[in-house]
Amino acid sequence: VAHLVLRKLERFATLSEEDRRTLLAHVRHIQHFNARDDLAKDGDHPRYVNFILEGWACRYKLLEDGRRQIISFFVPGDLCDPIVFLLREMSHGLGSITPVTVARVSREDMLALMAKSPALEKAFWLDMLISAEIQREWTVALGRKTARERMAHLFCELAMRLRAIGLAEGQEFEMPATQTDLADALGLSSVHVSRTLQELRGAGLIELKGKRMTLNNEKALREVAMFDPSYLHLSNIVT
Amino acid sequence: VAHLVLRKLERFATLSEEDRRTLLAHVRHIQHFNARDDLAKDGDHPRYVNFILEGWACRYKLLEDGRRQIISFFVPGDLCDPIVFLLREMSHGLGSITPVTVARVSREDMLALMAKSPALEKAFWLDMLISAEIQREWTVALGRKTARERMAHLFCELAMRLRAIGLAEGQEFEMPATQTDLADALGLSSVHVSRTLQELRGAGLIELKGKRMTLNNEKALREVAMFDPSYLHLSNIVT
DNA sequence: CGATAGGTTGAGTCGCATCAACCGGGGTGG
DNA sequence: CCACCCCGGTTGATGCGACTCAACCTATCG
């Protein structure tokens, strides 16, 4: 059930059979959430690390007047901060986009995992580092890119991340976020997301019907986005 | 010379006298940089962790057409990713704002520090976590806040961070970033930064003469910014 | 079959960008 | 020592990208 988590962590470190068993033994406490539910709320004391096993989720913050910013998307295999329990309280919410299955791993279990397996510890460090890289790339997109560039970039990123865990076939993948979700992630209004999607469709770069995304011309999409996948560190990390 | 780094890390974990000595023993290889120089370039293989001992620096990315986004500011005591050497190449540059003094700690030294001292290891984890929190807050600002709100937020954040290492006296601190730097950090044009600064000055919220910043009405500034310092986790982390 | 969530489209507006001129101060070289 | 330059900052005029408001369309579901 947690094989996508393993798949992700194995990009970061060579795991022995025992490492894998150890991890799987600690992935219990499975929970299910409906779509558009909260896995954790702003202000909560973080007692677990959430491993996303199935479905899409996101990190978000709300401003007083209702403005929402989605800070990151989580897809299967992702962890919500390997060591978040070191902090006293969460300063953001975790919400589901689709129905989601998570494993909640306790502080004690995480510490035990890292103590037992240096490979897992390294994998968790790398997960943190690469999440930070993604966050930086979002910072650049929000600060300096136009709507079209930002959106193209997001789709390129999602395609790469989903491929890395085997959830994209060729140029196609499930993209369950609504236009309102995309707006809150891209710092746009949902109206403008609709128009920008039309532009990308019109230019023959993407197709998006229902929740099914196809990158019809990924090369051109990357050019629009100024997308350079090196920040995702997808190749040759394992040493 | 590295006492600000200690000061920062001691917020994250209780360090024994030996931890402190161990750390200081590894803070050698001091280097100086001029203002507006590069400590590291995009694409470099990261072999060192930079500890900022004096001066301001920043992380930034350039787009093909010259647009620049500053991703984070570094002030004395900050580390540029405690474990960055796990990655094959940097996907951003590190630049100085003012003249800067850094200690470059090698991969081997960092690993030795963490192996020897669980307290230091924990402090490094927390440093990563809190840097991530700051990055998320920037994401929210860039995605959903207006120019005035963003700028107010940045000044509130900098005040808190500088206070935490003793580099602010009351409401005053050195703010050496130029308006162009601020623009690239806030995702604005330098012209608009100038106007927005005037607005904040006009409202009696701040004073900024040369490089000297005074928060004349921090309470009101926080309200404008919707600034809630809890994301910085400044209190009661040490356990 | 009505209700509702998600998406599309048009019209008008606004926040911020761009372009351009200008100012002041500190450093430099003739 | 003064003239000049250059960098950082200010201010005005104009333009554009994205927002807001609003109507409407479509698919899904109880």
Side-chain angles (χ1 to χ4, degrees):
Chain A
V1 59
H3 96 276
L4 289 180
V5 173
L6 275 178
R7 187 152 186 172
K8 178 163 187 201
L9 293 179
E10 285 184 321
R11 287 210 334 266
F12 298 154
T14 310
L15 301 184
S16 67
E17 191 49 49
E18 184 174 350
D19 291 330
R20 279 191 282 270
R21 266 201 311 275
T22 309
L23 184 81
L24 292 178
H26 289 84
V27 174
R28 36 196 193 209
H29 301 304
I30 306 293
Q31 288 202 13
H32 299 276
F33 291 89
N34 292 327
R36 340 231 118 253
D37 198 357
D38 275 320
L39 318 204
K41 285 200 168 56
D42 200 338
D44 279 2
H45 175 65
R47 293 156 59 228
Y48 304 102
V49 176
N50 288 291
F51 288 51
I52 309 287
L53 307 184
E54 269 186 88
W56 281 38
C58 69
R59 218 195 291 271
Y60 68 92
K61 295 204 196 202
L62 293 175
L63 302 186
E64 302 150 1
D65 57 6
R67 278 176 279 176
R68 180 175 77 141
Q69 178 67 36
I70 289 182
I71 297 164
S72 26
F73 283 119
F74 296 115
V75 298
D78 286 340
L79 332 187
C80 310
D81 285 339
I83 42 158
V84 67
F85 47 77
L86 290 182
L87 298 174
R88 274 201 8 283
E89 66 175 53
M90 309 237 324
S91 62
H92 57 262
L94 297 179
S96 59
I97 303 278
T98 64
V100 158
T101 309
V102 300
R104 307 199 128 170
V105 182
S106 69
R107 170 193 184 101
E108 292 69 32
D109 280 352
M110 285 302 296
L111 293 174
L113 279 174
M114 291 195 263
K116 262 194 239 173
S117 161
L120 284 176
E121 188 182 20
K122 184 185 173 199
F124 292 143
W125 270 114
L126 273 164
D127 184 72
M128 277 287 287
L129 273 177
I130 292 181
S131 304
E133 291 273 37
I134 293 173
Q135 203 66 50
R136 286 169 200 155
E137 202 63 36
W138 282 41
T139 304
V140 174
L142 290 168
R144 285 297 183 218
K145 290 187 181 174
T146 65
R148 186 182 323 114
E149 291 162 354
R150 267 181 243 178
M151 185 176 286
H153 195 283
L154 178 61
F155 294 150
C156 289
E157 178 189 307
L158 289 171
M160 295 301 283
R161 289 171 59 188
L162 291 168
R163 277 179 194 133
I165 48 164
L167 289 187
E169 314 99 46
Q171 311 299 323
E172 284 194 47
F173 55 92
E174 291 297 315
M175 208 297 296
T178 64
Q179 293 191 357
T180 304
D181 294 330
L182 291 176
D184 288 342
L186 297 171
L188 300 169
S189 68
S190 63
V191 172
H192 202 59
V193 164
S194 176
R195 291 193 227 270
T196 308
L197 270 172
Q198 299 295 26
E199 257 191 76
L200 294 184
R201 279 195 265 244
L205 300 180
I206 66 168
E207 230 166 88
L208 178 59
K209 287 191 185 119
K211 301 299 169 201
R212 194 91 203 141
M213 168 72 83
T214 310
L215 307 188
N216 283 320
N217 188 343
E218 191 170 1
K219 182 161 175 296
L221 194 66
R222 287 188 176 192
E223 272 162 25
V224 167
M226 294 168 285
F227 180 81
D228 171 356
S230 62
Y231 76 97
L232 292 169
H233 302 274
L234 287 169
S235 51
N236 294 358
I237 289 189
V238 172
T239 51
Chain B
V1 60
H3 95 275
L4 290 179
V5 173
L6 275 178
R7 187 151 183 173
K8 179 165 185 195
L9 294 178
E10 285 184 320
R11 287 210 335 264
F12 299 156
T14 310
L15 301 184
S16 66
E17 191 48 48
E18 183 173 351
D19 292 329
R20 278 190 282 269
R21 267 200 310 275
T22 310
L23 184 81
L24 292 178
H26 289 84
V27 174
R28 36 193 192 211
H29 301 304
I30 307 292
Q31 289 203 11
H32 298 276
F33 291 89
N34 292 327
R36 341 232 116 251
D37 197 359
D38 275 320
L39 317 204
K41 284 200 169 55
D42 200 340
D44 279 2
H45 175 64
R47 292 156 58 229
Y48 304 101
V49 175
N50 288 292
F51 287 51
I52 309 287
L53 305 184
E54 268 185 88
W56 282 38
C58 69
R59 218 196 289 272
Y60 68 92
K61 295 204 194 203
L62 293 175
L63 302 185
E64 301 150 1
D65 58 6
R67 278 176 278 175
R68 180 174 80 139
Q69 177 67 36
I70 289 183
I71 297 165
S72 25
F73 283 119
F74 296 114
V75 298
D78 285 342
L79 333 187
C80 309
D81 285 339
I83 42 157
V84 67
F85 47 77
L86 291 181
L87 298 174
R88 273 201 7 284
E89 67 175 53
M90 309 236 323
S91 61
H92 58 262
L94 297 179
S96 60
I97 303 279
T98 63
V100 158
T101 310
V102 300
R104 305 199 129 171
V105 182
S106 70
R107 172 195 183 100
E108 292 69 32
D109 280 353
M110 284 302 296
L111 293 174
L113 279 174
M114 291 195 264
K116 261 194 239 172
S117 162
L120 284 175
E121 188 181 19
K122 184 186 174 198
F124 292 144
W125 270 115
L126 273 164
D127 184 72
M128 277 287 287
L129 272 178
I130 291 179
S131 304
E133 291 273 38
I134 293 172
Q135 204 65 49
R136 286 169 199 154
E137 202 65 34
W138 282 42
T139 304
V140 174
L142 289 168
R144 286 295 183 221
K145 289 187 182 174
T146 65
R148 184 180 326 117
E149 291 162 355
R150 268 181 244 179
M151 184 176 287
H153 196 282
L154 178 60
F155 295 150
C156 289
E157 179 190 306
L158 289 172
M160 295 301 283
R161 288 171 61 189
L162 292 169
R163 276 179 196 137
I165 49 164
L167 289 187
E169 314 98 49
Q171 311 299 324
E172 283 193 48
F173 55 93
E174 290 297 314
M175 209 297 297
T178 64
Q179 293 190 0
T180 304
D181 294 330
L182 292 176
D184 289 342
L186 297 171
L188 300 169
S189 68
S190 62
V191 171
H192 202 61
V193 163
S194 176
R195 292 193 225 270
T196 308
L197 270 173
Q198 299 294 30
E199 257 191 75
L200 295 183
R201 280 195 264 245
L205 301 180
I206 65 169
E207 230 167 88
L208 178 59
K209 288 191 184 121
K211 302 297 170 203
R212 193 92 204 140
M213 169 71 83
T214 311
L215 307 188
N216 283 322
N217 188 343
E218 192 169 0
K219 181 160 176 295
L221 195 66
R222 287 188 176 192
E223 272 162 26
V224 166
M226 292 168 284
F227 180 81
D228 172 356
S230 62
Y231 76 96
L232 291 169
H233 302 274
L234 288 169
S235 51
N236 294 356
I237 288 188
V238 171
T239 50

